[in-house]
Amino acid sequence: MQIFLHVLWLILACSSVCATLSKSDAKKAASKTLLEKTQFSDKPVQDRGLVVTDLKAEDVVLEHRSYCSARAREKNFAGDVLGYVTPWNSHGYDVAKVFGNKFTHISPVWLQLKRRGREMFEITGLHDVDQGWMRAVRKHAKGLHIVPRLLFEDWTYDDFRNVLDSEDEIEELSKTMVQVAKNQHFDGFVVEVWSQLLSQKHVGLIHMLTHVAEALHQARLLAILVIPPAMTPGYIQTLKDHRPRMVWDSQAAEHFFEYKKNRGERHVIFYPTLKSLQMRLELARELGVGVSIWELGQGLDYFYDLL
């Protein structure tokens, strides 16, 4: 069982306006700017009174970059922690190096599995593989497993049908995965295929994944299956722009806020906060399961004090 914690940004399209401000206008504008700390803290968020339900937007903006650097390598959560990094978000690569000890698995979103014909498979995206970064992450986090995500890309219904119904196809697919993992010094793969089939042919899919997992395990490689949930965006810039009142939803165990755009359109955003993440980590401990985070670098740096 996996619990997915999703730390996500709201992407805003902003237009710039040039104007001349009077001294009084400049002072008013400056007074409306929310401050952000840029230095590290000598205490984790738990000791700074930040893991609360009565949260203020100003406090999130002020503190979100200020994690406890002295404890960045200390692990607070005993279960497995999987974190994704993506090529389009370089900060995620830095997060993996700084907080690597807090993770058991890092999954770079690099690879795609494509079917090229009968019993012919190719793993693409290898140009994104960064061996230097992999060495650096492993150097700072002993025992960390690097398991790139492998997405079944551009598969037609006929591709799935032909592979799921053929032991020879499944064997060749498994061989391709093992060979690439060995050549690229991966510890295995995070396999993403479930959502591509929706509700179709899940029995055959389970059969195929079982054989793939067995082949990887025989080669001393890891196989992790992902069943991704729906995703929603959230948020720092919105907090700066609107200074909304943060509300705690006790039933969802999550904070949300409302704001209006220029035309008066009402928007509601639910977004992970220190308190909501802490409660999910406590639930994971209670259930004896791990967590995964999509994606590193998108969320707030002080979140990692909790891990």
Side-chain angles (χ1 to χ4, degrees):
M1 176 178 181
Q2 291 283 337
I3 294 179
F4 293 82
L5 305 178
H6 301 274
V7 183
L8 309 166
W9 290 97
L10 175 65
I11 303 175
L12 301 175
C14 300
S15 58
S16 59
V17 178
C18 296
T20 301
L21 296 177
S22 66
K23 290 183 178 181
S24 60
D25 289 337
K27 289 181 179 179
K28 290 179 180 179
S31 67
K32 292 181 179 180
T33 302
L34 295 181
L35 299 177
E36 292 183 70
K37 291 181 181 178
T38 56
Q39 74 276 20
F40 302 136
S41 173
D42 58 354
K43 295 181 180 180
V45 292
Q46 299 93 321
D47 297 342
R48 285 148 60 194
L50 298 177
V51 188
V52 295
T53 56
D54 56 337
L55 186 63
K56 295 181 180 179
E58 297 92 315
D59 293 336
V60 177
V61 175
L62 178 66
E63 301 282 355
H64 74 99
R65 297 181 189 273
S66 184
Y67 63 86
C68 182
S69 60
R71 300 189 186 180
R73 296 173 62 83
E74 293 183 12
K75 186 174 176 64
N76 298 313
F77 180 73
D80 289 337
V81 180
L82 166 67
Y84 292 92
V85 295
T86 60
W88 54 85
N89 190 335
S90 61
H91 185 49
Y93 288 86
D94 296 331
V95 166
K97 288 190 286 188
V98 173
F99 300 103
N101 272 0
K102 293 177 178 285
F103 295 88
T104 54
H105 305 77
I106 293 291
S107 182
V109 180
W110 287 333
L111 308 177
Q112 306 82 39
L113 176 65
K114 299 191 177 185
R115 184 171 184 261
R116 298 303 192 190
R118 182 177 179 182
E119 299 178 19
M120 296 175 59
F121 301 92
E122 181 185 8
I123 292 180
T124 61
L126 295 174
H127 61 278
D128 282 324
V129 175
D130 188 336
Q131 295 289 345
W133 171 82
M134 288 170 56
R135 288 191 294 270
V137 171
R138 284 172 169 150
K139 180 180 178 180
H140 292 98
K142 302 300 181 183
L144 177 68
H145 301 292
I146 296 181
V147 283
R149 186 193 72 169
L150 183 62
L151 177 67
F152 281 54
E153 187 172 84
D154 297 332
W155 282 52
T156 66
Y157 180 81
D158 284 339
D159 286 329
F160 279 112
R161 180 174 56 81
N162 290 330
V163 172
L164 299 183
D165 293 341
S166 169
E167 297 297 330
D168 291 337
E169 291 268 4
I170 294 173
E171 183 177 353
E172 288 302 317
L173 186 157
S174 302
K175 287 181 179 178
T176 300
M177 293 175 62
V178 170
Q179 182 179 12
V180 169
K182 292 290 187 180
N183 291 345
Q184 297 293 328
H185 309 292
F186 300 149
D187 296 308
F189 295 104
V190 172
V191 180
E192 185 169 331
V193 63
W194 197 269
S195 57
Q196 279 86 330
L197 273 180
L198 298 177
S199 61
Q200 306 173 61
K201 297 185 76 66
H202 277 176
V203 173
L205 181 59
I206 292 171
H207 173 74
M208 180 194 75
L209 291 172
T210 300
H211 279 263
V212 168
E214 289 174 350
L216 290 170
H217 292 163
Q218 287 175 4
R220 296 187 177 183
L221 298 168
L222 299 173
I224 300 173
L225 174 64
V226 177
I227 304 178
M231 298 168 58
T232 56
Y235 114 138
I236 287 294
Q237 190 59 47
T238 309
L239 296 183
K240 292 180 181 179
D241 293 342
H242 300 279
R243 297 192 183 189
R245 184 174 68 90
M246 307 289 290
V247 180
W248 176 253
D249 184 327
S250 58
Q251 185 173 3
E254 197 160 20
H255 281 99
F256 72 93
F257 61 86
E258 299 181 13
Y259 73 97
K260 292 183 179 181
K261 299 190 79 170
N262 295 335
R263 296 181 179 179
E265 298 173 349
R266 177 174 168 268
H267 297 263
V268 179
I269 291 181
F270 280 81
Y271 189 82
T273 59
L274 288 167
K275 184 62 176 179
S276 67
L277 295 183
Q278 181 193 52
M279 294 189 70
R280 282 152 178 78
L281 289 172
E282 289 173 354
L283 177 61
R285 289 190 186 97
E286 179 183 339
L287 297 175
V289 299
V291 300
S292 70
I293 302 171
W294 179 280
E295 60 169 296
L296 304 189
Q298 277 196 349
L300 311 183
D301 286 350
Y302 73 169
F303 283 163
Y304 299 102
D305 281 356
L306 297 174
L307 288 177

